[in-house]
Amino acid sequence: MATRSVRGERERRRERKRRSTSRDGKRRHRSLSKERRSWNKSYISRSRERRSRSRERRSRSRDRRSRSRDRRSRSRDRRSRSRDRRKRSSEDSSSDKEGSPKPPVQSLQDETKEEAAVEKRQPLSLDELIAKRTAEQSAESKPVFLSREERAALALKRRAEQVEARAKARLELGKNKFSSAALSEQDHQRMNEEEREKWYRQREMGKDRDREMDAIKSRYLGGEKKRRKLRRLADRKFVFDWDAGDDTSVDFNPLYRSKHQALFFGRGHIAGIDIKAQKKEQSKFYSNLMGERMTDDQKKQALVRDESVKEKERKTKFDERHWSEKSLPQMAYRDWRIFREDYNIATKGGRIPYPLRSWAEAGISSDILEVIHSLHYKEPTPIQRQAIPIGLQNRDIIGIAETGSGKTAAFVIPLLTWITSLPKIVRESEADQGPYAIILAPTRELAQQIEEETLKFAAPLGLRTVAVVGGISREDQGFQLRLGCEIVIATPGRLIDVLENRYLVLAQCTYVVLDEADRMIDMGFEPDVQKILDYLPVTNQKPDTEEAEDPEKMKANMESSKHKYRQTVMFTATMPPSVERLARSYLRRPAIVYIGSAGKPTERVEQRVILLAEGEKRKKLLEILEEPEPPIIVFVNQKKGADVLAKSLEKIGVSQSVLRQQVREIYVW
Ligand SMILES: Nc1ncnc2c1ncn2[C@@H]1O[C@H](COP(=O)(O)OP(=O)(O)OP(=O)(O)O)[C@@H](O)[C@H]1O
């Protein structure tokens, strides 16, 4: 019964399989045409998979068979054991007669069951096996249809395998590359950007760590300091110099005793011997050689050539001789430049005439020249050299020069030249019209000094000067002015007073001098000066055009009549903006003459700079104070500082007085 049921079951399974195979076949057949193309592509891989699957199946059936074999052997064992048991029980029943022998019903039943199972698990017949094999082969040969899900799963599996393989390879590469010191070019190419960056970062970190370690070691363990290698002369392999006295040997060989002087042809020189001496030697050698080779004609030609060269040199030397060796017409532009440099004269503003080389070349009247000679003024001073020719052209001048440089003569000489050119009768008849010139000075002392200097020139020429300054009675001055004068020298305050009281008129004044203009403005005379200038007639003002710069036109105007253009001359030691402003408003196209340079300290003052610490200053000052003769002026930069210094000097017995101004403090001893 059991055998039948087993067979029935097997039949049913086979039937089911056949049916499912035929169904699959049909389905496969239907979809074959549709997916043939895609299958073709993956055909080889799938057939490979199929083959591997069949291989697996075969191995599984092999396993199954071996297991059934085992089972059979085990059942055989069991049967033999049950037989043994039965034998032993029969032996027991025969020996024990009291107990009735009971057949082992249970064991028998088991045996029959096992036999049925063995019968049931009998191997397939050869025909069946062949049929199964052919069915399997035919199934394998046909393309297998895979659903979309299956294909996706397969693709995913393949991708996962690929990724895993690549990761494994990268891991291997990473292990190798950090161990190798240098990477090959190929490796670099293979590494992607990220990896390379990571690698560099790690390498840098490694370097930093090494550096840090070195620093720590040197800090705490006293690392080795790299010493600069000094090159000592003693280290040299060969030292060539020795004392000649040390050499006691005698050269018997005449070759060494009378040594031959090596002579190199071309540019070769012997090291260690003065190159100039060598060159001299060489040129001598060559010239001798050439001289020996030259013919008589060549020698004559060479002589002529030498002579012409020497002549040229003589001519250039003559042309370039110093200006003092030249006459006026021989003076070239270059000479005038050198001349101005020699006297530290700088000029600005239009066509400025050449400076005076001597009084004789000044072009002034013989009367004035006589006066100059009588005063023993041998040479003009730099400001006179440049300002007099400009003044003689009737041009306005700004002169920047230090005190005591002879400014008075610089503006008086052109003025006297013009006044003396006017007829004496005219001068006397028009005396009530006022002076021809006014000279303004900031202080009474200065005005008197100028008067003194002017009188030196004016008195011999029969010209009258009057000083209008404070400290003298106004009436006396008025009386003198009424008598008539050509030149008035005044301080601004008193001149305004005299003008306002009608003691003086400026109807024919055409020459204005502002001496020490910077000081005048410093002392607050700017409004007074402007007021005085407003008293001057406007009719004789120069045009503010190019004409005022034109020397020819200005000179012609000066020589034409007594109603010449007004000429304004301003002298100053410095050129602050206030002076510039004044000059702009009252001067027309002035010629500017700098003697030295504006703002530069006077050459008669010696300046010394001593750099000291704050605490050493006082000690040094006391040392300095001992040297020069009093009075001494000490400038400090703060009022408070002046008081402190005054007290400390008083303590050590230095008599002093303190003068304080708004800006600076002055100590006078
Ligand atoms: N060419 C000269 N040769 C020799 N001495 C001269 C010459 N010119 C001027 N002096 C003399 O130099 C002195 C100073 O001259 P002057 O008073 O003209 O200078 P200054 O520049 O006007 O000085 P300050 O600014 O103090 O008025 C005078 O005694 C004068 O006689």
Side-chain angles (χ1 to χ4, degrees):
M1 223 15 216
T3 321
R4 217 182 299 143
S5 70
V6 169
R7 269 196 199 136
E9 180 62 30
R10 206 182 290 150
E11 283 296 318
R12 269 198 300 281
R13 224 185 295 153
R14 242 179 257 149
E15 183 60 28
R16 224 182 292 140
K17 199 173 180 180
R18 213 182 303 125
R19 250 185 261 145
S20 75
T21 323
S22 68
R23 237 184 290 135
D24 286 351
K26 274 177 204 165
R27 215 182 293 153
R28 251 179 266 134
H29 189 70
R30 273 201 304 274
S31 57
L32 187 64
S33 59
K34 287 179 192 173
E35 306 201 9
R36 193 179 292 275
R37 273 179 214 151
S38 60
W39 288 349
N40 281 345
K41 284 180 190 170
S42 57
Y43 181 75
I44 300 160
S45 66
R46 260 181 279 145
S47 65
R48 244 182 251 137
E49 279 166 25
R50 264 198 307 278
R51 256 176 266 143
S52 72
R53 255 181 276 143
S54 68
R55 237 176 276 131
E56 278 169 24
R57 240 176 276 140
R58 261 176 271 149
S59 72
R60 257 183 272 137
S61 66
R62 234 177 280 131
D63 290 349
R64 237 180 282 136
R65 262 176 271 150
S66 70
R67 259 181 276 144
S68 66
R69 237 177 276 133
D70 289 348
R71 248 177 269 135
R72 260 177 274 148
S73 68
R74 260 182 274 140
S75 68
R76 237 176 274 131
D77 289 349
R78 239 178 276 136
R79 261 179 278 159
S80 67
R81 261 182 276 144
S82 65
R83 240 178 268 130
D84 288 349
R85 244 180 276 136
R86 259 178 279 155
K87 215 187 233 175
R88 258 182 271 135
S89 65
S90 63
E91 277 171 10
D92 288 347
S93 62
S94 62
S95 61
D96 190 13
K97 288 192 178 166
E98 285 169 353
S100 58
K102 284 176 188 171
V105 183
Q106 187 63 37
S107 63
L108 271 173
Q109 279 172 355
D110 290 346
E111 210 174 313
T112 45
K113 267 182 200 172
E114 277 172 10
E115 274 172 5
V118 169
E119 218 172 6
K120 198 167 71 184
R121 278 176 216 128
Q122 265 179 358
L124 295 170
S125 66
L126 191 63
D127 294 337
E128 279 173 341
L129 271 172
I130 290 163
K132 192 185 170 188
R133 185 73 186 269
T134 46
E136 275 175 6
Q137 274 175 353
S138 67
E140 274 172 20
S141 64
K142 282 173 192 169
V144 181
F145 172 76
L146 292 171
S147 67
R148 185 181 280 180
E149 287 75 27
E150 281 171 334
R151 268 182 280 140
L154 257 174
L156 274 170
K157 196 183 163 193
R158 266 202 302 275
R159 178 76 192 134
E161 278 169 7
Q162 277 175 5
V163 168
E164 201 181 333
R166 212 177 289 167
K168 211 181 270 178
R170 213 181 291 154
L171 205 70
E172 284 293 313
L173 186 71
K175 272 180 197 168
N176 295 335
K177 72 190 166 191
F178 290 119
S179 61
S180 63
L183 287 169
S184 69
E185 191 60 37
Q186 213 180 353
D187 286 343
H188 269 293
Q189 282 171 358
R190 218 181 295 142
M191 277 162 70
N192 61 34
E193 202 64 32
E194 198 183 320
E195 278 180 333
R196 210 175 298 158
E197 219 170 84
K198 202 173 155 190
W199 181 72
Y200 282 127
R201 228 180 293 135
Q202 281 184 358
R203 200 179 62 171
E204 284 305 307
M205 272 164 66
K207 273 186 190 172
D208 285 351
R209 225 175 293 132
D210 290 349
R211 261 182 243 137
E212 200 182 332
M213 282 308 292
D214 288 345
I216 292 167
K217 273 181 196 167
S218 66
R219 172 88 174 78
Y220 295 103
L221 305 173
E224 275 180 36
K225 276 180 190 168
K226 276 182 191 169
R227 279 188 193 165
R228 251 192 334 159
K229 206 182 169 190
L230 291 170
R231 191 166 161 263
R232 270 182 246 139
L233 285 177
D235 288 351
R236 283 192 302 185
K237 260 187 177 176
F238 304 105
V239 180
F240 291 103
D241 47 339
W242 63 85
D243 192 350
D246 295 343
D247 188 8
T248 51
S249 67
V250 182
D251 285 327
F252 294 106
N253 193 332
L255 251 181
Y256 296 117
R257 227 182 296 157
S258 54
K259 280 174 196 155
H260 175 70
Q261 182 68 45
L263 184 73
F264 293 103
F265 291 93
R267 290 166 66 180
H269 297 109
I270 307 162
I273 298 173
D274 181 28
I275 199 143
K276 277 182 189 167
Q278 285 188 65
K279 277 183 180 171
K280 206 173 167 185
E281 193 84 9
Q282 263 183 358
S283 70
K284 201 174 156 189
F285 171 79
Y286 281 118
S287 62
N288 285 343
L289 209 69
M290 295 300 285
E292 281 166 24
R293 284 182 189 178
M294 266 205 286
T295 60
D296 287 349
D297 282 349
Q298 279 174 333
K299 276 178 189 169
K300 272 179 200 167
Q301 276 176 4
L303 270 174
V304 172
R305 213 181 303 129
D306 283 357
E307 199 53 45
S308 73
V309 170
K310 275 177 192 164
E311 184 60 34
K312 257 186 197 170
E313 276 174 11
R314 270 198 295 273
K315 200 173 175 298
T316 353
K317 209 177 167 188
F318 179 78
D319 289 343
E320 288 180 0
R321 69 194 189 279
H322 194 254
W323 58 264
S324 55
E325 294 169 20
K326 287 182 179 177
S327 64
L328 192 62
Q330 283 175 342
M331 288 285 279
Y333 175 75
R334 181 175 166 273
D335 298 316
W336 287 116
R337 238 180 52 207
I338 295 168
F339 181 87
R340 283 197 174 118
E341 276 170 20
D342 284 355
Y343 287 102
N344 224 348
I345 300 168
T347 54
K348 214 165 92 176
R351 282 159 60 192
I352 293 179
Y354 291 129
L356 297 182
R357 298 197 315 163
S358 64
W359 290 119
E361 289 173 10
I364 45 180
S365 66
S366 55
D367 299 343
I368 298 171
L369 270 179
E370 262 177 43
V371 177
I372 291 168
H373 287 308
S374 67
L375 291 171
H376 306 291
Y377 289 0
K378 284 179 186 150
E379 289 285 321
T381 60
I383 187 73
Q384 289 165 359
R385 281 178 196 275
Q386 189 60 80
I388 290 170
I390 301 171
L392 289 171
Q393 283 184 352
N394 198 26
R395 279 195 69 183
D396 287 3
I397 306 167
I398 296 176
I400 299 154
E402 59 186 74
T403 45
S405 56
K407 285 176 284 178
T408 314
F411 59 75
V412 163
I413 292 170
L415 169 66
L416 296 180
T417 309
W418 176 64
I419 296 171
T420 50
S421 73
L422 297 171
K424 203 175 177 187
I425 299 171
V426 176
R427 275 189 271 150
E428 279 169 1
S429 63
E430 290 178 353
D432 58 334
Q433 293 290 303
Y436 291 107
I438 52 165
I439 300 164
L440 293 174
T443 60
R444 189 198 307 167
E445 293 75 29
L446 194 60
Q448 282 166 344
Q449 197 185 306
I450 294 167
E451 192 199 12
E452 210 176 287
E453 192 63 27
T454 314
L455 269 173
K456 285 183 191 172
F457 291 90
L461 297 169
L463 300 174
R464 289 159 296 171
T465 60
V466 177
V468 180
V469 291
I472 305 167
S473 102
R474 202 190 300 145
E475 284 69 33
D476 282 357
Q477 282 175 358
F479 178 72
Q480 279 184 13
L481 288 169
R482 281 221 184 89
L483 286 175
C485 67
E486 279 82 17
I487 302 161
V488 168
I489 301 138
T491 49
R494 179 52 72 94
L495 187 62
I496 286 178
D497 197 6
V498 168
L499 285 168
E500 281 173 353
N501 288 296
R502 302 278 190 272
Y503 287 112
L504 182 71
V505 284
L506 300 173
Q508 57 178 0
C509 178
T510 55
Y511 203 98
V512 181
V513 179
L514 304 171
D515 199 11
E516 300 212 5
D518 52 345
R519 241 177 108 189
M520 230 165 347
I521 287 166
D522 270 355
M523 290 167 80
F525 285 129
E526 196 180 349
D528 291 351
V529 172
Q530 282 176 1
K531 217 172 181 181
I532 293 162
L533 295 174
D534 289 342
Y535 272 96
L536 293 165
V538 288
T539 47
N540 60 8
Q541 266 190 320
K542 272 182 201 165
D544 197 5
T545 57
E546 296 284 313
E547 203 185 315
E549 278 182 49
D550 192 333
E552 279 81 37
K553 280 185 182 165
M554 286 295 109
K555 207 171 176 185
N557 168 266
M558 193 179 187
E559 287 163 0
S560 64
S561 67
K562 68 182 178 71
H563 299 293
K564 70 167 188 79
Y565 286 137
R566 186 205 299 170
Q567 188 179 1
T568 314
V569 179
M570 194 168 91
F571 284 97
T572 175
T574 55
M575 200 65 182
S578 51
V579 177
E580 272 188 37
R581 200 173 50 235
L582 192 76
R584 262 201 305 275
S585 22
Y586 292 100
L587 274 73
R588 295 282 156 88
R589 309 285 174 117
I592 304 168
V593 181
Y594 297 88
I595 304 298
S597 60
K600 196 182 150 191
T602 171
E603 279 171 12
R604 285 176 297 174
V605 177
E606 186 198 334
Q607 295 197 359
R608 271 187 269 169
V609 178
I610 303 164
L611 298 171
L612 291 167
E614 189 64 33
E616 295 167 26
K617 266 173 36 178
R618 194 157 299 171
K619 199 178 147 202
K620 189 72 193 172
L621 177 68
L622 291 173
E623 274 175 35
I624 293 167
L625 289 177
E626 281 168 16
E627 281 173 32
E629 282 289 308
I632 305 161
I633 303 174
V634 181
F635 292 88
V636 290
N637 63 348
Q638 277 182 341
K639 284 182 186 176
K640 214 171 98 184
D643 289 333
V644 173
L645 186 63
K647 271 180 196 160
S648 63
L649 289 173
E650 210 174 341
K651 271 184 200 167
I652 57 165
V654 180
S655 67
Q656 48 78 35
S657 65
V658 182
L659 303 177
R660 285 198 205 89
Q661 286 187 348
Q662 280 298 314
V663 185
R664 61 186 181 227
E665 294 74 43
I666 309 160
Y667 280 76
V668 184
W669 273 268

